[in-house]
């Protein structure tokens, strides 16, 4: 029953992520079309067709199901390869990981229209300053909270969830390090999407997902939930660094 509930949650989160990307692209596409029509009064009314829309949107859905959706599958893999006690501990640690990622998620929602507008108007230096500023602001709360998670993981788990969950102290430290790396790299994935570079981002996402699916089961089998956290932190840490390098180039 627990494994079925975890699988249902992962599936629902993947569908939600896909629909969110679809809605975001609709909003940004509409904004861009209005701006283009104001600039070019001779723009064709039938410039956007359903086929074109699907051609532009399917990479976004695939990105959500790989780079973001795959991050939720770690709970499902733990459910398959670990004991029920470890599943509960890992689920609790995942909730704390969401707390660390909250600042970055909020920054992505706020920054999306500004990234799109600055890129469309060619203000690349201003866009670069914006992305750097967002990364700095996001890093502050993440580092402050993460410092507590790294220094006193057993204390935090004990007082938050109970003494039984203190066994996941090492796992919490690994999850925290991965979240810190993600926060320091900023919202670069969003920047690529808003700049219309979703296909190069999709390539990186597919590679990262394939690496994760190869590495994670092995690490979970040998190291339990600490291996699951390590697989997610390492693979998606490399993913975030690669995306950052792509934005800079």
């Amino acid at each position: 029953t627990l494994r079925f509930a975890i699988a249902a949650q992962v599936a629902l989160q993947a569908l939600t992520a896909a629909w969110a990307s679809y809605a975001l692209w609709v909003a940004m596409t509409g904004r861009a079309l209005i701006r283009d029509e104001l600039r070019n009064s001779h723009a064709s009314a039938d410039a956007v067709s359903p086929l074109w829309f699907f051609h532009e949107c399917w990479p976004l859905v695939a990105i959500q199901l790989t780079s973001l959706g795959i991050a939720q599958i770690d709970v499902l893999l733990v459910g398959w390869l670990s004991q029920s006690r470890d599943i509960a501990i890992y689920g609790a640690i995942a909730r704390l990981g969401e707390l660390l990622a909250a600042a970055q998620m909020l920054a992505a929602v706020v920054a999306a229209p500004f990234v799109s507008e600055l890129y469309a108007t060619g203000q690349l230096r201003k866009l670069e300053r914006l992305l750097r500023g967002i990364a700095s602001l996001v890093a502050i709360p993440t580092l402050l909270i993460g410092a507590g998670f790294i220094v006193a993981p057993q204390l935090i788990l004990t007082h938050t969830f109970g003494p039984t969950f203190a066994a996941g102290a090492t796992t919490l430290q690994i999850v925290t390090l991965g979240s810190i790396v993600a926060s320091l790299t900023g919202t670069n994935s969003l920047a690529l999407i808003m700049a219309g570079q979703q296909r190069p981002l999709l390539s990186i996402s597919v590679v990262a997902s394939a690496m994760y699916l190869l590495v994670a089961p092995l690490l979970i089998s040998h190291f339990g939930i600490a291996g699951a956290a390590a697989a997610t932190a390492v693979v998606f840490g490399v993913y975030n660094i690669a995306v950052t390098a792509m934005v800079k180039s």
Side-chain angles (χ1 to χ4, degrees):
T1 304
L2 179 59
R3 286 177 171 81
F4 176 77
I6 293 174
Q9 179 184 5
V10 171
L12 181 60
Q13 288 175 333
L15 291 174
T16 302
W19 176 253
S21 66
Y22 171 82
L24 180 61
W25 185 254
V26 168
M28 292 299 101
T29 303
R31 182 187 178 111
L33 288 174
I34 293 174
R35 183 169 57 246
D36 292 342
E37 288 179 359
L38 291 175
R39 289 179 178 178
N40 306 303
S41 59
H42 60 278
S44 174
D46 59 350
V48 179
S49 65
L51 181 60
W52 173 88
F53 189 77
F54 174 79
H55 184 264
E56 292 294 326
C57 285
W58 77 262
L60 295 177
V61 177
I63 289 170
Q64 297 297 329
L65 294 176
T66 52
S67 65
L68 300 181
I70 200 73
Q72 305 298 328
I73 296 181
D74 57 352
V75 179
L76 186 59
L77 291 177
V78 169
W80 285 340
L81 302 174
S82 301
Q83 300 177 355
S84 298
R85 176 175 174 270
D86 291 336
I87 299 172
I89 295 175
Y90 194 78
I93 293 173
R95 300 288 81 80
L96 295 177
E98 291 176 359
L99 176 63
L100 290 170
Q104 189 172 26
M105 293 176 62
L106 179 61
V109 173
V110 174
F114 298 101
V115 172
S116 177
E117 183 171 354
L118 291 175
Y119 182 81
T121 55
Q123 302 181 59
L124 299 184
R125 291 191 177 276
K126 191 172 182 180
L127 175 59
E128 181 180 358
R129 291 197 298 271
L130 174 66
L131 294 176
R132 291 180 181 274
I134 291 173
S136 300
L137 290 175
V138 168
I140 293 173
T142 304
L143 289 173
L144 290 176
I145 299 174
F149 288 178
I150 292 176
V151 174
Q154 291 183 338
L155 181 65
I156 290 173
L157 288 171
T158 299
H159 285 278
T160 305
F161 301 106
T164 304
F165 292 84
T170 301
T171 304
L172 178 58
Q173 291 175 322
I174 297 173
V175 169
T176 302
L177 291 175
S179 298
I180 290 175
V181 172
S183 68
L184 292 177
T185 56
T187 56
N188 292 317
S189 296
L190 174 70
L192 288 177
I193 293 174
M194 292 295 99
Q197 301 297 318
Q198 59 268 26
R199 283 176 174 76
L201 179 61
L202 175 60
S203 300
I204 298 179
S205 300
V206 170
V207 172
S209 300
M211 290 176 57
Y212 177 81
L213 292 176
L214 289 174
V215 172
L218 295 176
L219 292 180
I220 295 173
S221 299
H222 287 83
F223 303 104
I225 57 176
T232 303
V234 172
V235 171
F236 287 99
V238 174
Y239 166 82
N240 286 318
I241 294 173
V243 172
T244 300
M246 181 180 293
V247 171
K248 290 184 176 181
S249 63

